[in-house]
Amino acid sequence: MPNEPLLIRQARILQPSGEFLLGDVLIRNGKIVEVASQILDRDTINIIDATGLTLLPGVIDPQVHFREPGLEHKEDLFTASCACAKGGVTSFLEMPNTKPLTTTQSTLNDKLQRAKNKSLVNYGFFIGATPENLPDLIEANPTCGIKIFMGSSHGALLVPVEEQLDPIFARGRRLIAVHAEDQARIIERRKLFAGIHDPAIHSQIQDEQVALNATKLALKLSKKYERRLHILHLSTGIEAELLREDKPSWVTAEVTPQHLLLNTDAYDKIGTLAQMNPPLRSPENNQILWQALLDGVIDFIATDHAPHTLEEKAQQYPNSPSGMPGVETSLPLMLTEAMKGKCTVAQVSTWMSSAVAKAYKIPNKGLITAGYDADLVLVDLNTYHPVIREELQTKCGWSPFEGWNLTGWPVITIVNGEIVYQRGQLYLEKRGKALTFEE
């Protein structure tokens, strides 16, 4: 049964030009069919009165860890997609470090089937590189790209040395996304700081040099083969400056809201809840990363949503796991910065929607224009509301931004022309679709 037509009336609509239009959007069969200052109601149409609200393309979060299969006590595809819907995230790209690992066509197929059955929003999955699965990396479909853990991992997904990395870069054309940390240096520094239980030491063990070493190696291999490279969760000013000087046209990079807005001062306030990989950095890095984002050195934003239970996080460092949730708060966090004058709303939308669609070659996503998929979010930029633990949809039930007073919270989230979230209510029966990726 086709979707019912939907008419959004009197929204402040972000256009592809970056300008705003006060007007209407008509949606039929999951697609935007018209954007105009006024659209006459010719049919019996479901109407959304969007007076006072701003209409943006739905967020595409290109780096999440949703923990299913195998780690569902932390999160699962249903709970995570509920958090996405509430946060205005209409599509996600999920990482391979589940149990079993997503390293073969069969494990990829399993995730796609699970998401088809469970996810309120659209979905795509990375295939994980191991030192042994090169044929799978070339042939598995559909996938948004190859994920390589150069460090901060263990077991089969760890590919830490050039001799193992080179063949992956040498064969195939698929995008390679790297977690760029130097595993050998991490191991060496863990010994150096052994016995220290202050979580703040995490940022010294996995220091800026750990990140820079791995990013340099990934760049070297990318240039050797002119291989499409994406650098995940850039965390340091020195990496940003490296890319400012040396960033081939086929290389992209992302940054998380955490690395823009939090720093090592957070350990004193929230302890192990501030622990992630790559770690939070000293405060001066925040501004360098912001400037790199504004200048286009960094291309877009991802959350690296990586939930753990409060019980797991309560363990003494270094037994406490690294990672934090983010899909519910990323858009309000960035829109709050826009309202402070740090950037524009149009820039936020580019970084969280259209630039992601372009980088991963996802057709018909990320803009509000006729012919595009109706993945949309209506946000309220006139009202502020704090991040409250009890209101979160993520199964882990906490946020490093708890208590932050934010604007731009989603009021209505639309996926493929259907409302999946509206004013506090989730439409739990709705299901997103598998994303497609152009070669």
Side-chain angles (χ1 to χ4, degrees), residues 161-179:
V161 294
E162 187 169 353
E163 293 72 28
Q164 295 173 329
L165 291 161
D166 192 283
I168 301 171
F169 277 84
R171 289 190 57 195
R173 296 176 57 247
R174 184 164 279 165
L175 176 148
I176 293 173
V178 293
H179 179 123

PDB file of all heavy atoms in Angstrom, residues 161-179:
ATOM      1  N   VAL A 161      49.214  -3.013  10.953  1.00  0.00           N
ATOM      2  CA  VAL A 161      50.540  -2.766  10.357  1.00  0.00           C
ATOM      3  C   VAL A 161      50.434  -2.612   8.842  1.00  0.00           C
ATOM      4  O   VAL A 161      49.539  -3.158   8.190  1.00  0.00           O
ATOM      5  CB  VAL A 161      51.531  -3.906  10.708  1.00  0.00           C
ATOM      6  CG1 VAL A 161      51.814  -3.914  12.207  1.00  0.00           C
ATOM      7  CG2 VAL A 161      51.018  -5.267  10.249  1.00  0.00           C
ATOM      8  N   GLU A 162      51.394  -1.880   8.297  1.00  0.00           N
ATOM      9  CA  GLU A 162      51.374  -1.538   6.879  1.00  0.00           C
ATOM     10  C   GLU A 162      51.333  -2.773   5.983  1.00  0.00           C
ATOM     11  O   GLU A 162      50.653  -2.775   4.945  1.00  0.00           O
ATOM     12  CB  GLU A 162      52.591  -0.681   6.542  1.00  0.00           C
ATOM     13  CG  GLU A 162      52.577  -0.142   5.131  1.00  0.00           C
ATOM     14  CD  GLU A 162      53.642   0.919   4.876  1.00  0.00           C
ATOM     15  OE1 GLU A 162      54.325   1.360   5.829  1.00  0.00           O
ATOM     16  OE2 GLU A 162      53.792   1.301   3.694  1.00  0.00           O
ATOM     17  N   GLU A 163      52.046  -3.829   6.371  1.00  0.00           N
ATOM     18  CA  GLU A 163      52.105  -5.040   5.540  1.00  0.00           C
ATOM     19  C   GLU A 163      50.719  -5.668   5.373  1.00  0.00           C
ATOM     20  O   GLU A 163      50.416  -6.280   4.344  1.00  0.00           O
ATOM     21  CB  GLU A 163      53.067  -6.066   6.155  1.00  0.00           C
ATOM     22  CG  GLU A 163      54.519  -5.653   6.144  1.00  0.00           C
ATOM     23  CD  GLU A 163      54.844  -4.536   7.142  1.00  0.00           C
ATOM     24  OE1 GLU A 163      54.149  -4.434   8.186  1.00  0.00           O
ATOM     25  OE2 GLU A 163      55.757  -3.742   6.864  1.00  0.00           O
ATOM     26  N   GLN A 164      49.857  -5.542   6.396  1.00  0.00           N
ATOM     27  CA  GLN A 164      48.493  -6.074   6.306  1.00  0.00           C
ATOM     28  C   GLN A 164      47.544  -5.078   5.635  1.00  0.00           C
ATOM     29  O   GLN A 164      46.584  -5.479   4.958  1.00  0.00           O
ATOM     30  CB  GLN A 164      47.969  -6.405   7.703  1.00  0.00           C
ATOM     31  CG  GLN A 164      48.724  -7.537   8.395  1.00  0.00           C
ATOM     32  CD  GLN A 164      48.285  -7.707   9.846  1.00  0.00           C
ATOM     33  OE1 GLN A 164      47.901  -6.749  10.513  1.00  0.00           O
ATOM     34  NE2 GLN A 164      48.355  -8.940  10.335  1.00  0.00           N
ATOM     35  N   LEU A 165      47.811  -3.794   5.810  1.00  0.00           N
ATOM     36  CA  LEU A 165      46.937  -2.756   5.257  1.00  0.00           C
ATOM     37  C   LEU A 165      47.122  -2.598   3.752  1.00  0.00           C
ATOM     38  O   LEU A 165      46.159  -2.381   3.016  1.00  0.00           O
ATOM     39  CB  LEU A 165      47.216  -1.412   5.945  1.00  0.00           C
ATOM     40  CG  LEU A 165      46.803  -1.315   7.412  1.00  0.00           C
ATOM     41  CD1 LEU A 165      47.532  -0.165   8.092  1.00  0.00           C
ATOM     42  CD2 LEU A 165      45.292  -1.123   7.536  1.00  0.00           C
ATOM     43  N   ASP A 166      48.345  -2.718   3.290  1.00  0.00           N
ATOM     44  CA  ASP A 166      48.663  -2.438   1.890  1.00  0.00           C
ATOM     45  C   ASP A 166      47.799  -3.228   0.908  1.00  0.00           C
ATOM     46  O   ASP A 166      47.244  -2.645  -0.045  1.00  0.00           O
ATOM     47  CB  ASP A 166      50.158  -2.677   1.643  1.00  0.00           C
ATOM     48  CG  ASP A 166      50.608  -2.127   0.307  1.00  0.00           C
ATOM     49  OD1 ASP A 166      50.323  -2.777  -0.728  1.00  0.00           O
ATOM     50  OD2 ASP A 166      51.237  -1.049   0.274  1.00  0.00           O
ATOM     51  N   PRO A 167      47.636  -4.554   1.087  1.00  0.00           N
ATOM     52  CA  PRO A 167      46.815  -5.300   0.123  1.00  0.00           C
ATOM     53  C   PRO A 167      45.363  -4.851   0.079  1.00  0.00           C
ATOM     54  O   PRO A 167      44.715  -4.962  -0.973  1.00  0.00           O
ATOM     55  CB  PRO A 167      46.919  -6.753   0.611  1.00  0.00           C
ATOM     56  CG  PRO A 167      48.100  -6.801   1.512  1.00  0.00           C
ATOM     57  CD  PRO A 167      48.234  -5.440   2.108  1.00  0.00           C
ATOM     58  N   ILE A 168      44.839  -4.357   1.197  1.00  0.00           N
ATOM     59  CA  ILE A 168      43.447  -3.882   1.232  1.00  0.00           C
ATOM     60  C   ILE A 168      43.308  -2.616   0.404  1.00  0.00           C
ATOM     61  O   ILE A 168      42.369  -2.450  -0.382  1.00  0.00           O
ATOM     62  CB  ILE A 168      42.979  -3.661   2.688  1.00  0.00           C
ATOM     63  CG1 ILE A 168      43.081  -4.965   3.498  1.00  0.00           C
ATOM     64  CG2 ILE A 168      41.548  -3.123   2.716  1.00  0.00           C
ATOM     65  CD1 ILE A 168      42.850  -4.799   4.980  1.00  0.00           C
ATOM     66  N   PHE A 169      44.264  -1.706   0.548  1.00  0.00           N
ATOM     67  CA  PHE A 169      44.257  -0.469  -0.243  1.00  0.00           C
ATOM     68  C   PHE A 169      44.533  -0.749  -1.720  1.00  0.00           C
ATOM     69  O   PHE A 169      44.049  -0.035  -2.602  1.00  0.00           O
ATOM     70  CB  PHE A 169      45.290   0.519   0.306  1.00  0.00           C
ATOM     71  CG  PHE A 169      44.819   1.334   1.470  1.00  0.00           C
ATOM     72  CD1 PHE A 169      44.889   0.831   2.766  1.00  0.00           C
ATOM     73  CD2 PHE A 169      44.310   2.610   1.299  1.00  0.00           C
ATOM     74  CE1 PHE A 169      44.458   1.577   3.855  1.00  0.00           C
ATOM     75  CE2 PHE A 169      43.876   3.370   2.373  1.00  0.00           C
ATOM     76  CZ  PHE A 169      43.947   2.853   3.660  1.00  0.00           C
ATOM     77  N   ALA A 170      45.301  -1.793  -1.991  1.00  0.00           N
ATOM     78  CA  ALA A 170      45.759  -2.072  -3.366  1.00  0.00           C
ATOM     79  C   ALA A 170      44.667  -2.636  -4.261  1.00  0.00           C
ATOM     80  O   ALA A 170      44.708  -2.436  -5.478  1.00  0.00           O
ATOM     81  CB  ALA A 170      46.938  -3.040  -3.330  1.00  0.00           C
ATOM     82  N   ARG A 171      43.683  -3.342  -3.682  1.00  0.00           N
ATOM     83  CA  ARG A 171      42.699  -4.048  -4.500  1.00  0.00           C
ATOM     84  C   ARG A 171      41.294  -3.509  -4.294  1.00  0.00           C
ATOM     85  O   ARG A 171      40.864  -3.289  -3.162  1.00  0.00           O
ATOM     86  CB  ARG A 171      42.727  -5.539  -4.185  1.00  0.00           C
ATOM     87  CG  ARG A 171      43.993  -6.234  -4.701  1.00  0.00           C
ATOM     88  CD  ARG A 171      43.873  -7.737  -4.585  1.00  0.00           C
ATOM     89  NE  ARG A 171      42.698  -8.268  -5.298  1.00  0.00           N
ATOM     90  CZ  ARG A 171      42.228  -9.496  -5.093  1.00  0.00           C
ATOM     91  NH1 ARG A 171      42.790 -10.304  -4.195  1.00  0.00           N
ATOM     92  NH2 ARG A 171      41.184  -9.924  -5.783  1.00  0.00           N
ATOM     93  N   GLY A 172      40.603  -3.306  -5.380  1.00  0.00           N
ATOM     94  CA  GLY A 172      39.227  -2.837  -5.324  1.00  0.00           C
ATOM     95  C   GLY A 172      39.143  -1.319  -5.369  1.00  0.00           C
ATOM     96  O   GLY A 172      40.144  -0.611  -5.337  1.00  0.00           O
ATOM     97  N   ARG A 173      37.878  -0.819  -5.426  1.00  0.00           N
ATOM     98  CA  ARG A 173      37.645   0.628  -5.529  1.00  0.00           C
ATOM     99  C   ARG A 173      36.751   1.152  -4.408  1.00  0.00           C
ATOM    100  O   ARG A 173      36.508   2.345  -4.314  1.00  0.00           O
ATOM    101  CB  ARG A 173      37.001   0.947  -6.879  1.00  0.00           C
ATOM    102  CG  ARG A 173      37.895   0.637  -8.056  1.00  0.00           C
ATOM    103  CD  ARG A 173      37.216   0.861  -9.402  1.00  0.00           C
ATOM    104  NE  ARG A 173      36.733   2.230  -9.546  1.00  0.00           N
ATOM    105  CZ  ARG A 173      35.457   2.569  -9.608  1.00  0.00           C
ATOM    106  NH1 ARG A 173      34.517   1.633  -9.501  1.00  0.00           N
ATOM    107  NH2 ARG A 173      35.094   3.815  -9.753  1.00  0.00           N
ATOM    108  N   ARG A 174      36.283   0.263  -3.573  1.00  0.00           N
ATOM    109  CA  ARG A 174      35.317   0.628  -2.538  1.00  0.00           C
ATOM    110  C   ARG A 174      35.936   1.577  -1.504  1.00  0.00           C
ATOM    111  O   ARG A 174      37.110   1.467  -1.170  1.00  0.00           O
ATOM    112  CB  ARG A 174      34.857  -0.669  -1.871  1.00  0.00           C
ATOM    113  CG  ARG A 174      33.802  -0.539  -0.841  1.00  0.00           C
ATOM    114  CD  ARG A 174      33.192  -1.904  -0.562  1.00  0.00           C
ATOM    115  NE  ARG A 174      32.193  -2.270  -1.562  1.00  0.00           N
ATOM    116  CZ  ARG A 174      31.715  -3.491  -1.724  1.00  0.00           C
ATOM    117  NH1 ARG A 174      32.143  -4.491  -0.987  1.00  0.00           N
ATOM    118  NH2 ARG A 174      30.789  -3.728  -2.636  1.00  0.00           N
ATOM    119  N   LEU A 175      35.121   2.491  -0.995  1.00  0.00           N
ATOM    120  CA  LEU A 175      35.565   3.422   0.053  1.00  0.00           C
ATOM    121  C   LEU A 175      36.122   2.663   1.255  1.00  0.00           C
ATOM    122  O   LEU A 175      35.548   1.667   1.700  1.00  0.00           O
ATOM    123  CB  LEU A 175      34.391   4.297   0.472  1.00  0.00           C
ATOM    124  CG  LEU A 175      34.577   5.287   1.619  1.00  0.00           C
ATOM    125  CD1 LEU A 175      33.700   6.514   1.388  1.00  0.00           C
ATOM    126  CD2 LEU A 175      34.246   4.687   2.983  1.00  0.00           C
ATOM    127  N   ILE A 176      37.258   3.140   1.757  1.00  0.00           N
ATOM    128  CA  ILE A 176      37.863   2.611   2.987  1.00  0.00           C
ATOM    129  C   ILE A 176      37.736   3.675   4.073  1.00  0.00           C
ATOM    130  O   ILE A 176      38.179   4.812   3.891  1.00  0.00           O
ATOM    131  CB  ILE A 176      39.344   2.246   2.776  1.00  0.00           C
ATOM    132  CG1 ILE A 176      39.483   1.057   1.821  1.00  0.00           C
ATOM    133  CG2 ILE A 176      40.031   1.943   4.112  1.00  0.00           C
ATOM    134  CD1 ILE A 176      40.915   0.743   1.419  1.00  0.00           C
ATOM    135  N   ALA A 177      37.113   3.312   5.186  1.00  0.00           N
ATOM    136  CA  ALA A 177      36.996   4.208   6.349  1.00  0.00           C
ATOM    137  C   ALA A 177      37.888   3.673   7.462  1.00  0.00           C
ATOM    138  O   ALA A 177      37.796   2.496   7.813  1.00  0.00           O
ATOM    139  CB  ALA A 177      35.545   4.278   6.815  1.00  0.00           C
ATOM    140  N   VAL A 178      38.758   4.528   7.992  1.00  0.00           N
ATOM    141  CA  VAL A 178      39.733   4.058   8.985  1.00  0.00           C
ATOM    142  C   VAL A 178      39.489   4.665  10.366  1.00  0.00           C
ATOM    143  O   VAL A 178      39.212   5.852  10.507  1.00  0.00           O
ATOM    144  CB  VAL A 178      41.197   4.352   8.553  1.00  0.00           C
ATOM    145  CG1 VAL A 178      41.566   3.530   7.334  1.00  0.00           C
ATOM    146  CG2 VAL A 178      41.443   5.833   8.304  1.00  0.00           C
ATOM    147  N   HIS A 179      39.582   3.791  11.373  1.00  0.00           N
ATOM    148  CA  HIS A 179      39.773   4.240  12.753  1.00  0.00           C
ATOM    149  C   HIS A 179      41.277   4.371  12.906  1.00  0.00           C
ATOM    150  O   HIS A 179      41.994   3.370  13.023  1.00  0.00           O
ATOM    151  CB  HIS A 179      39.201   3.229  13.742  1.00  0.00           C
ATOM    152  CG  HIS A 179      39.386   3.629  15.177  1.00  0.00           C
ATOM    153  ND1 HIS A 179      38.333   3.769  16.048  1.00  0.00           N
ATOM    154  CD2 HIS A 179      40.494   3.927  15.887  1.00  0.00           C
ATOM    155  CE1 HIS A 179      38.786   4.138  17.242  1.00  0.00           C
ATOM    156  NE2 HIS A 179      40.105   4.227  17.159  1.00  0.00           N
TER     157      HIS A 179
END
